[in-house]
Amino acid sequence: AFVRSTTAHGRITGIDLDAARATPGVVAVHTGADLMAAGVKPIPTAPAFKRPDGQPMAAPPKRALAHEVLRYVGEPVVAIVADSRAAARAAADSVFVQTEDLPVNVDPVRALLPGAPVLWEGAPDNISAEMRHGDAAATEAAFARAAHSVSLALVNQRLAPAPMEPRSVLAWMDGERLTMRLSSQMPTGVRAGLVDAIPGLTADNTRVVVGDVGGGFGMKTGIYPEDIAVGWIARTLNRPVKWQAERLEDFTSAVHGRDVISRAELALDAQGKVLALRVRSLANVGAYPSTTAVAIQLLIGPWVATSVYDIPVIDFRFTAVLTNTAPTGAYRGAGRPEAIYITERLMDAAAREMKIDGSELRRRNMIRPEQMPYTNAMAQVYDSGRFEQILDQGLQLADWAGYAARQAESRARGKLRGRGIATFLEWTGGNVFEERVTVDVTADGFIEIGSATQAMGQGIATSYVQLAVDVFGVPPERVRIVQGDTDRLNGFGSAGSRSLFTGGSSVRVAAQRTVDKGKELAADALEAPVADIEYREGRFTVAGTDLGIELGALAGRQPEGHLFVDSTSSVGGPTWPNGCHICEVEVDPATGVVEIVAYASVNDIGRIVSPAIVRGQIDGGAVQGIGQALCERMVYDRDTGQLLSASFMDYALPHADGFRGFKTAFDTSIPCLNNPMGVKGVGELGTIGATPAVVNAVVDALAGPGGLGRDAERVQMPLTSEVVWRALQRRDFGPPVFEQPV
């Protein structure tokens, strides 16, 4: 059990461990000082970004156990090892951590004000890193000549990933080798973190094993402080050590998502053509920013900010700010939902300003097929896309033309009806395009395929089986997928919707290479030229004869008793899945309750391998995005830094009975050109499109007759009944936002 900080910012002046050590069943008690003395290193931060002064990115050392200074509520301070969970908890409750309280700041705007409390001396202005993109002068000129411009203050609130299964870690020594079993999307990354932090560990004497994972959503990428502590303790005591996070611990100390506040502006000419996009954002990266967390907000999100639109000029300024909150990191979509939300909110605001249909304004600005391959203002290259085609299908699926009648019917029942649209794209792949796959055919005819990508509930193993069956022509039950063992395979893992188009493409290539190698071996066994060998449904034959040999039998003839192929292959670049999501809502003006009454989406994800899995990914992702729009929000007390939403009693997840009228369609006519299967990433697409579609629908409802007019654009997520009701009463418009000019 871990003793965690109950203060958001303080200097450790003493830790009373006597009662804990005297608790029956306690084996050991460790502090940050103990780990420091043993040479355990902090989690490294790569200097990939810079501060405004040109110095490397600033990040306090993130240790397995806090040492000297506490920087957020929930930070692990003491590790209690006992022979039962009850004893460990009892001992943890008896620990007294003495602190000298320091000033607290959880707000990135306040953190940048003169005289704000300094979280770490390495960043006296509380700025971890900053990036600027585009051409500020050209953007200013575009705004100067624009016929129309719109400006919005927007909040992408902090979210808890909340997977079904909290984190869990089990570590033990097998001789001189450390083995760790845990719930992770990136086994190799965890092993690298252990080796880097714990003296004496190497890649050869460290093994990480991952079994079933009850959801990741990005939260389970990379290594956590608790993983290092458990590994070091198991190695030090030479005993198995287990830690299972309680839900409270995941709320307070697992990485959170989003948390970006922005001022965004769009300039348009008289016909509605976008001339320039300008965004100024502050990203609250918490107390211990990682390279990944900073990259998500300062680089990856901006890659897609211009989306499916031909926007020639941009001026982006993104600042990663340190605060006394838990670190942020990857969460489903990782920067792309934040960027797309900003752009799609601006598009609706511009349509309202110009008094034209939102779908028409989007159509006027879409990149045309003949512009492909298209390089956007962030120098990202789209290989393919027919965005207007997807828009047309979306409008038809949603019955866009029939909306007026539905709106009138809702009004007759005393409800405010609104509709929202989001046309968008996303980047997938994590920019890691190479993948190693092994294929092992046994003498009994089973085919075992190994991959370093990781199943975490997204069904990737099922898709891999289908891809293998397509090549080998054997029953699915003859194919086994092996993942999650660094003794077998190592690689990037699963993140950024890369598993199918990168890992799946490599599975297909490896399977085909196995068949090709089998033909060579069969030619030798059957005493025939390789050119005459044919393969079909698990059997090699000599063309035009009945002479042949089964795949398993051929494997059994080999000196090793099996046929093994080690294959590494690459795809040509990222994929750019895209979609048109349209939502209709009803708002009860008496209570502020928002109900989604229709949701239609048309999605371009290239070739589909597993239709049921794809539909589950799109619809499940959409519901997750709807959760951000309507109900989810992490809240810290402004003065004390205490987390006020640390349980499901205070943090609301969307319920399945809150949605009706889902229609989901796919356009498979536009294959990706960067991989041999033509597939595009799908795991995060629904999340990215849902949030702006739903919020645009609610804003539309509130801006309509008898509503708030343009003031409706001031409401901020999550659009709970209280937020909506207060807005309708013109009492307030949601949480404070970044109001400074760009």
Side-chain angles (χ1 to χ4, degrees), residues 255-319:
V255 296
H256 299 155
R258 316 288 191 250
D259 207 345
V260 180
I261 54 178
S262 307
R263 169 66 69 176
E265 299 176 311
L266 200 64
L268 307 96
D269 67 16
Q271 288 71 47
K273 178 69 176 70
V274 175
L275 302 175
L277 171 63
R278 184 158 55 193
V279 181
R280 168 78 165 102
S281 290
L282 303 182
N284 182 356
V285 293
Y288 297 98
S290 66
T291 306
T292 298
V294 172
I296 285 169
Q297 301 303 345
L298 271 59
L299 188 61
I300 296 174
W303 280 345
V304 303
T306 58
S307 188
V308 297
Y309 309 118
D310 186 13
I311 299 177
V313 181
I314 61 170
D315 178 13
F316 296 163
R317 183 182 175 190
F318 298 89
T319 305

Side-chain angles (χ1 to χ4, degrees), residues 22-48:
T23 302
V26 167
V27 175
V29 179
H30 296 289
T31 67
D34 297 331
L35 272 65
M36 284 278 291
V40 177
K41 300 176 184 176
I43 297 173
T45 302

Side-chain angles (χ1 to χ4, degrees), residues 579-709:
C580 173
H581 287 217
I582 298 172
C583 176
E584 293 186 19
V585 301
E586 283 187 341
V587 177
D588 186 339
T591 64
V593 170
V594 176
E595 184 180 8
I596 293 177
V597 295
Y599 193 96
S601 74
V602 175
N603 307 276
D604 166 18
I605 56 168
R607 179 194 172 195
I608 292 176
V609 174
S610 304
I613 289 174
V614 163
R615 187 171 298 274
Q617 287 286 299
I618 290 291
D619 289 351
V623 171
Q624 207 156 352
I626 290 167
Q628 177 176 3
L630 296 184
C631 58
E632 297 185 48
R633 183 186 175 211
M634 295 293 281
V635 180
Y636 283 93
D637 182 86
R638 189 180 179 94
D639 298 318
T640 66
Q642 295 295 322
L643 184 60
L644 305 179
S645 54
S647 77
F648 289 132
M649 295 181 68
D650 303 296
Y651 186 91
L653 292 180
H655 289 188
D657 60 1
F659 317 98
R660 54 189 170 94
F662 263 62
K663 298 178 181 177
T664 307
F666 301 96
D667 186 329
T668 61
S669 69
I670 314 161
C672 176
L673 305 180
N674 288 335
N675 64 79
M677 298 192 299
V679 299
K680 303 175 185 180
V682 66
E684 296 160 294
L685 191 65
T687 311
I688 295 167
T691 305
V694 172
V695 175
N696 279 341
V698 176
V699 171
D700 183 56
L702 298 181
L708 300 172

Side-chain angles (χ1 to χ4, degrees), residues 132-442:
R132 299 202 69 159
H133 307 283
D135 187 326
T139 300
E140 182 60 33
F143 272 87
R145 69 175 186 272
H148 303 276
S149 65
V150 291
S151 176
L152 294 175
L154 297 170
V155 175
N156 270 280
Q157 75 274 30
R158 181 174 285 232
L159 303 176
M164 180 169 60
E165 173 197 41
R167 292 172 293 155
S168 59
V169 186
L170 172 63
W172 69 94
M173 296 300 295
D174 183 6
E176 294 299 314
R177 298 194 83 214
L178 173 70
T179 298
M180 179 173 286
R181 189 176 190 91
L182 78 167
S183 182
S184 175
Q185 299 171 226
M186 294 181 167
T188 301
V190 173
R191 186 185 69 174
L194 292 170
V195 168
D196 186 83
I198 301 175
L201 290 186
T202 66
D204 291 334
N205 68 15
T206 308
R207 180 188 185 193
V208 172
V209 180
V210 176
D212 293 332
V213 177
F217 306 130
M219 188 194 88
K220 295 178 182 175
T221 56
I223 194 165
Y224 277 95
E226 294 91 345
D227 305 335
I228 295 172
V230 170
W232 179 80
I233 291 167
R235 181 174 168 85
T236 301
L237 298 180
N238 196 25
R239 295 179 64 174
V241 178
K242 177 182 178 180
W243 171 67
Q244 172 68 57
E246 297 179 0
R247 186 62 67 175
L248 172 64
E249 292 179 288
D250 266 2
F251 268 115
T252 58
S253 62
V255 296
H256 299 155
R258 316 288 191 250
D259 207 345
V260 180
I261 54 178
S262 307
R263 169 66 69 176
E265 299 176 311
L266 200 64
L268 307 96
D269 67 16
Q271 288 71 47
K273 178 69 176 70
V274 175
L275 302 175
L277 171 63
R278 184 158 55 193
V279 181
R280 168 78 165 102
S281 290
L282 303 182
N284 182 356
V285 293
Y288 297 98
S290 66
T291 306
T292 298
V294 172
I296 285 169
Q297 301 303 345
L298 271 59
L299 188 61
I300 296 174
W303 280 345
V304 303
T306 58
S307 188
V308 297
Y309 309 118
D310 186 13
I311 299 177
V313 181
I314 61 170
D315 178 13
F316 296 163
R317 183 182 175 190
F318 298 89
T319 305
V321 183
L322 300 171
T323 66
N324 295 113
T325 60
T328 58
Y331 174 58
R332 198 170 190 173
R336 287 96 78 195
E338 298 92 309
I340 294 298
Y341 177 74
I342 291 169
T343 303
E344 288 303 300
R345 285 292 309 275
L346 286 171
M347 292 299 286
D348 257 27
R352 196 171 290 111
E353 164 76 17
M354 298 182 66
K355 296 180 173 56
I356 62 176
D357 186 282
S359 67
E360 175 58 27
L361 180 63
R362 288 167 169 83
R363 186 186 303 276
R364 293 179 189 181
N365 286 282
M366 283 181 169
I367 300 161
R368 301 182 307 277
E370 60 267 25
Q371 293 177 272
M372 296 294 172
Y374 175 85
T375 303
N376 73 9
M378 284 293 297
Q380 297 299 299
V381 180
Y382 308 164
D383 66 294
S384 62
R386 293 199 287 269
F387 307 129
E388 192 173 357
Q389 175 177 310
I390 302 300
L391 170 64
D392 288 337
Q393 293 176 72
L395 297 177
Q396 182 177 2
L397 186 66
D399 186 20
W400 188 265
Y403 172 72
R406 296 190 295 275
Q407 185 184 41
E409 190 274 333
S410 295
R411 191 176 298 128
R413 291 186 286 105
K415 301 292 182 68
L416 305 177
R417 194 178 187 109
R419 68 176 173 182
I421 182 173
T423 53
F424 64 99
L425 95 173
E426 83 128 329
W427 160 93
T428 71
N431 276 3
V432 180
F433 303 127
E434 184 177 272
E435 197 71 35
R436 177 185 171 217
V437 170
T438 60
V439 181
D440 194 356
V441 183
T442 61

